[in-house]
Amino acid sequence: MAGAIVVIGSSNVDFIMKMAHLPRRGETVTDAVFLQTFGGKGANQAAAAARAGGDVAFVNCVGDDRYGVAIRENLQAAGVDVGSVATVPGVASGTALVMIGDGGDNYLSVAPGANYRLTRAEVDRARSLIDGAALVMLQCEILPDTLEYAIELAAGRRRPILLNLAPARAISEASLRKLNYLVVNESEAEFLCGFPVDSLPCAARAAEVLRARGPQAVLITIGSQGVCVACDGPPTHVPAFEVPAVDTTAAGDVFCGALAVALVERQPMADAVRFASAAAALCVTRLGAQPSIPTRQEVDRFLQLDSR
Ligand code: RIB
């Protein structure tokens, strides 16, 4: 197995309703199907990396409720080392409400709960994991201070860092400069750049603008259009795989988890992005966050069957 991936981030229990169309203001929709699953961007990325064949450890906080126990057990079953998942007394585990409409688009609302108890102290306690990491992967569902501290610590120990700036949040230029990989979607890129990122040419421009701010590689995911990658030379476009979309929840997380594994395996960037795009494509054909994460075998098979 290639080197270890340390994911520092959030875990949630997702309460999902899938319906024919999303309700307008004041409207009640009565045809929804309900599903309770495990989610949270950090946990989703950790599980996705483990299922893609990575050696993964997760640094996180859960509440002392029944969800906290279940979140830990579920990640362990996916093959994630949960030794650095702390239980915070008297606090609820993170929760998310997800509404999915026709075509797989979603509305999401998160109550961070124990995720906002992940502080510098927990990151410090995971120092030995970070020291041995081939890649440290982060997202933005934890406190900004914890996020920037983790970046500083990992960079100080010369560990490669992948930040998925999701959901979009202000970040210091100093932290941006320390990143090896920055992964954002169109709206997150727009948030960082201050101009619309609604087409491939705009994404290419945004990727160059962001790369000039420090990250060695910038990847902008543009939904069904694929990924725009700026690492060396002019930005390139990796098209997405065409699949019937059931639910796009966690597609970005699965992309990041699989990408992390491919990068740690030292796959060339174009191959790594193709591998991650295949994992994300499989994810959108299924309902829910962690139940949709494909295994390595499924991703490899999908790529073998692809004729393009
Ligand atoms: O990225 C998808 C995730 O965002 C969901 O699983 C939900 O928990 C929110 O964190």
Side-chain angles (χ1 to χ4, degrees):
M1 208 181 258
I5 296 165
V6 176
V7 182
I8 304 173
S10 61
S11 61
N12 293 329
V13 174
D14 290 354
F15 297 90
I16 302 170
M17 287 215 186
K18 182 163 169 64
M19 54 209 81
H21 75 267
L22 292 163
R24 284 178 295 276
R25 190 171 175 196
E27 184 190 2
T28 302
V29 165
T30 54
D31 66 349
V33 175
F34 176 72
L35 182 70
Q36 183 188 315
T37 67
F38 296 101
K41 295 187 192 304
N44 294 344
Q45 293 182 15
R51 287 208 195 135
D55 170 11
V56 184
F58 187 39
V59 182
N60 167 246
C61 284
V62 293
D64 63 349
D65 48 16
R66 66 193 167 97
Y67 295 131
V69 176
I71 286 169
R72 190 185 272 107
E73 285 175 358
N74 182 63
L75 284 169
Q76 217 163 6
V80 176
D81 170 359
V82 292
S84 293
V85 175
T87 302
V88 187
V91 179
S93 295
T95 38
L97 294 181
V98 187
M99 286 205 293
I100 303 162
D102 207 13
D105 287 339
N106 61 31
Y107 279 112
L108 238 148
S109 172
V110 174
N115 292 308
Y116 273 14
R117 299 301 185 95
L118 184 71
T119 64
R120 291 178 178 222
E122 281 72 38
V123 176
D124 278 336
R125 273 194 279 277
R127 262 171 202 250
S128 61
L129 278 179
I130 294 169
D131 281 345
L135 186 74
V136 175
M137 183 155 61
L138 299 138
Q139 330 70 34
C140 298
E141 284 184 335
I142 56 174
L143 292 168
D145 179 72
T146 310
L147 176 71
E148 303 234 11
Y149 180 70
I151 291 173
E152 193 185 326
L153 186 89
R157 292 165 132 72
R158 301 196 180 284
R159 299 295 90 205
I161 305 166
L162 186 160
L163 173 64
N164 175 215
L165 197 96
R169 173 195 283 172
I171 183 155
S172 70
E173 294 299 316
S175 286
L176 273 183
R177 277 195 295 275
K178 294 185 174 98
L179 302 179
N180 299 75
Y181 309 100
L182 172 66
V183 181
V184 285
N185 66 18
E186 306 106 300
S187 63
E188 291 147 6
E190 189 165 325
F191 174 85
L192 283 175
C193 294
F195 57 79
V197 180
D198 49 12
S199 65
L200 267 173
C202 292
R205 189 173 148 233
E208 282 190 308
V209 166
L210 291 173
R211 189 153 176 263
R213 285 163 71 178
Q216 285 165 22
V218 174
L219 295 91
I220 303 184
T221 57
I222 32 185
S224 58
Q225 290 190 77
V227 186
C228 180
V229 186
C231 51
D232 30 40
T236 54
H237 171 228
V238 180
F241 295 95
E242 273 179 44
V243 288
V246 171
D247 172 19
T248 58
T249 309
D253 300 332
V254 170
F255 178 87
C256 289
L259 179 73
V261 172
L263 292 173
V264 163
E265 289 175 354
R266 297 186 181 279
Q267 293 189 30
M269 183 58 92
D271 294 351
V273 172
R274 190 164 175 269
F275 178 76
S277 301
L282 285 165
C283 168
V284 305
T285 63
R286 303 166 183 170
L287 184 59
Q290 285 171 43
S292 326
I293 299 173
T295 62
R296 177 66 176 249
Q297 221 182 0
E298 287 175 315
V299 180
D300 286 343
R301 186 159 168 69
F302 181 86
L303 285 170
Q304 270 164 18
L305 293 175
D306 178 58
S307 52
R308 76 176 190 213

